[in-house]
Amino acid sequence: MEFGGRRALRRKRIQAEASYSSGLQFYKEPPTGNVSLTEFDEMAFERLKVLRAVERLNLSGYIKNSEEWITKLYEEFAKNKFFIILAEKNTKSNTDEVQKARRQDHVSHFILRLAYCRTEELRRWFITHETDLFKARFLQATRIGSDIRNFLAINNLHYTSITAEEKQSERENLLASSMNVTGDTMEGMTFYKVPFIDALELVRQRKVFLKQGYAYVPETDLATLVTSSFRSKLSHDMTTTCRALPELDSDERLVNLLHDFDQRYTGKDYSSKKHGDTCRITPDMIDTLANKSFPPCMRQLNDTLRTTHHLKYNGRVIYGLFLKAAGLNLEDALFFWRSHFLKNMDVDTFDKRYSYGIRYNYGKEGKKTDFSPYGCIKIIMGNIAPGDVHGCPFKHSDVAILRQRLVAYKVSNQVIDEIMELVNKRHYQIACQRYWESIHGVPIDAGINHPNQFFEESQKFLNGGVQPSQGKKQSEVKTTPTFMYSSQSSTQSSTQSSTQPSTQPATQPSGGNTMTVSEEIDMYFDDDIEAAMLEQCME
Ligand code: SF4
């Protein structure tokens, strides 16, 4: 049975879906229709990249919503061919592609609502960056002369403009209270009279004239007004979505796709890199490279390996994959690990316990997958037990130890203080970026989001003198209390994604032996595997 109300709602949705008349959306109604799971995943992933581009720019020192900020953001969108560019094409060229891009905009926004409504922290991250994105798009639309009035009309955003008489009578007050309004520009300018609660941002900045509970907003500040409305609506909708979330949990397909979505790595893919194609490293180079170009997380692993000639399981996986993507081939990797481990054991023990794992990382055993090295978010979110050295030093190290280590790395006291401040605010990746900049003496615009990116940028700079960035010096960067990524929150747990090797091989090695599962485990892994991993494997 279908109720009239629902029928009407559906009709309204279908109409909304049929055509998107504006490149800007207020996301009032959820999308309808069919989307394949692949499309669902791709759309969501691209929007995540868009939001992270906004976040990166916010943290790179440009003044938010300034001309420069918008230009940079749109350059980034164009460079990556994000759907935003196509979706905002003029309505005259309202072709199928434009409609498709607008639909992607619509659908992907709602998918991310599902992924980001789970916790307060995720909601805050999503709302902040969606709002920034919306404001940038609104300002861009104003800049290029898009039909803003049409957008306001279709979204029922009716702001009442004041009459010419009222404008004249309040002229002095309006001139004194409104920024960017002069006697010359005032004549042709429209002022909107709105309840002050709708213009809190402008009130907070003391940018509007207030009278009897109303704010007089010049049209130049319309973007702030609309954005504030967007933000409060989104905030309310996110809470509603969160309440409805348990209904989704029965759909395993969606749960799998959305699980840990915020931790997805969106940077360069290092898994497909052919070892030795653009750069090749050999075991004898590793110590020198570690001192010059490895990020602190990998340098820490290398230091421990050099001194103890052993790394625990997670350390071996993370460091092994990093070295693989850095250009160490399988033969060299076996040689490298063997040369360290043989200081504590004989060849047979090494071959029995460790060489399988190394070959597994290179896709020569088990599932034969070309595993990706871990990105920053995954390392930062990892669980660290006492004695583990595979975490991100900026997140997991004790403050005093981190300071000592940075002194040993010859970082100046001033930079160390800056880094400690960033760490204190939980800006771990920016702290790492600051470290990179201090050891290379140049800024890095792209930020740091992957240990291999840290390494590659360093090598590019040291070998070719290539300036990795045209960005601002980090010392000029003003950071906000926003997290670099929401997933950096220490309150969330970490799990591994399907693109990474599981914490143990899933299949038996070839050879048709008749070992029991526990015997297999003994053979593949050493004594430091956590009990949980063993249990999981035995299941
Ligand atoms: Fe390593 Fe990333 Fe932490 Fe830097 S921010 S130390 S690259 S995990």
Side-chain angles (χ1 to χ4, degrees), residues 102-373:
R102 289 179 182 179
R103 177 161 164 76
Q104 177 170 357
D105 181 14
H106 187 194
V107 175
S108 63
H109 171 87
F110 276 91
I111 299 175
L112 258 67
R113 278 192 189 187
L114 294 175
Y116 276 83
C117 67
R118 287 157 202 273
T119 68
E120 178 57 39
E121 201 128 34
L122 291 178
R123 281 198 292 275
R124 199 174 340 123
W125 185 89
F126 180 71
I127 292 168
T128 302
H129 295 99
E130 275 289 336
T131 307
D132 285 348
L133 175 65
F134 177 82
K135 187 158 186 184
R137 296 178 72 182
F138 191 92
L139 291 169
Q140 172 72 354
T142 318
R143 228 164 53 150
I144 60 173
S146 293
D147 192 357
I148 289 293
R149 280 181 199 284
N150 174 41
F151 166 75
L152 295 177
I154 55 179
N155 289 292
N156 293 326
L157 294 165
H158 301 297
Y159 298 111
T160 319
S161 54
I162 59 172
T163 60
E165 292 77 47
E166 192 174 3
K167 190 160 105 177
Q168 195 52 40
S169 68
E170 300 292 354
R171 185 184 161 83
E172 292 310 312
N173 290 328
L174 292 174
L175 270 176
S177 325
S178 315
M179 280 176 77
N180 307 325
V181 179
T182 62
D184 294 341
T185 55
M186 186 160 174
E187 295 318 314
M189 190 171 286
T190 309
F191 281 81
Y192 298 96
K193 189 174 167 181
V194 296
F196 84 96
I197 201 111
D198 290 346
L200 282 182
E201 180 64 23
L202 296 170
V203 176
R204 190 176 63 80
Q205 295 171 14
R206 294 179 166 75
K207 282 172 82 177
V208 279
F209 171 55
L210 289 173
K211 188 178 173 187
Q212 294 175 346
Y214 285 94
Y216 289 68
V217 183
E219 66 181 69
T220 46
D221 283 323
L222 188 63
T224 312
L225 211 56
V226 179
T227 306
S228 138
S229 172
F230 177 85
R231 187 186 182 102
S232 55
K233 184 186 170 301
L234 181 58
S235 175
H236 171 264
D237 289 356
M238 289 298 279
T239 318
T240 316
T241 312
C242 182
R243 274 196 221 116
L245 208 57
E247 283 179 36
L248 253 191
D249 286 346
S250 56
D251 193 330
E252 211 175 289
R253 300 162 311 162
L254 293 184
V255 171
N256 287 342
L257 281 172
L258 297 174
H259 180 62
D260 284 349
F261 189 81
D262 60 294
Q263 292 179 36
R264 297 244 319 237
Y265 170 65
T266 48
K268 179 179 168 184
D269 180 10
Y270 291 94
S271 62
S272 55
K273 182 170 176 170
K274 300 281 173 287
H275 319 303
D277 56 352
T278 53
C279 94
R280 160 101 199 274
I281 64 169
T282 50
D284 56 310
M285 296 160 71
I286 289 177
D287 287 343
T288 315
L289 287 173
N291 292 340
K292 286 199 300 193
S293 293
F294 281 12
C297 51
M298 299 302 152
R299 203 168 164 179
Q300 171 175 281
L301 286 164
N302 192 61
D303 289 348
T304 308
L305 187 59
R306 272 173 54 191
T307 48
T308 65
H309 306 293
H310 188 264
L311 282 181
K312 289 189 178 183
Y313 176 75
N314 283 318
R316 293 199 302 275
V317 171
I318 292 174
Y319 193 40
L321 290 174
F322 167 80
L323 291 175
K324 180 181 89 160
L328 189 73
N329 69 24
L330 175 58
E331 290 70 37
D332 285 342
L334 284 165
F335 175 83
F336 171 73
W337 289 101
R338 197 182 291 127
S339 66
H340 281 290
F341 277 52
L342 288 194
K343 300 212 164 61
N344 291 330
M345 63 188 68
D346 57 38
V347 180
D348 278 354
T349 314
F350 175 82
D351 284 344
K352 198 171 147 194
R353 284 185 161 185
Y354 301 102
S355 57
Y356 179 92
I358 298 165
R359 290 196 304 275
Y360 186 82
N361 276 351
Y362 280 77
K364 300 295 178 198
E365 301 285 358
K367 287 190 270 186
K368 298 200 176 359
T369 307
D370 180 17
F371 292 112
S372 310

Side-chain angles (χ1 to χ4, degrees), residues 294-299 322 374-380 390-396 427-433 435 448-455 488:
F294 281 12
C297 51
M298 299 302 152
R299 203 168 164 179
F322 167 80
Y374 285 34
C376 290
I377 295 181
K378 202 170 173 63
I379 296 175
I380 287 168
H390 62 266
C392 169
F394 298 108
K395 159 87 187 283
H396 297 113
H427 292 308
Y428 309 119
Q429 286 167 261
I430 310 176
C432 190
Q433 178 180 349
Y435 168 75
I448 297 295
N449 52 44
H450 200 293
N452 286 93
Q453 176 223 354
F454 184 112
F455 171 70
Q488 289 184 10

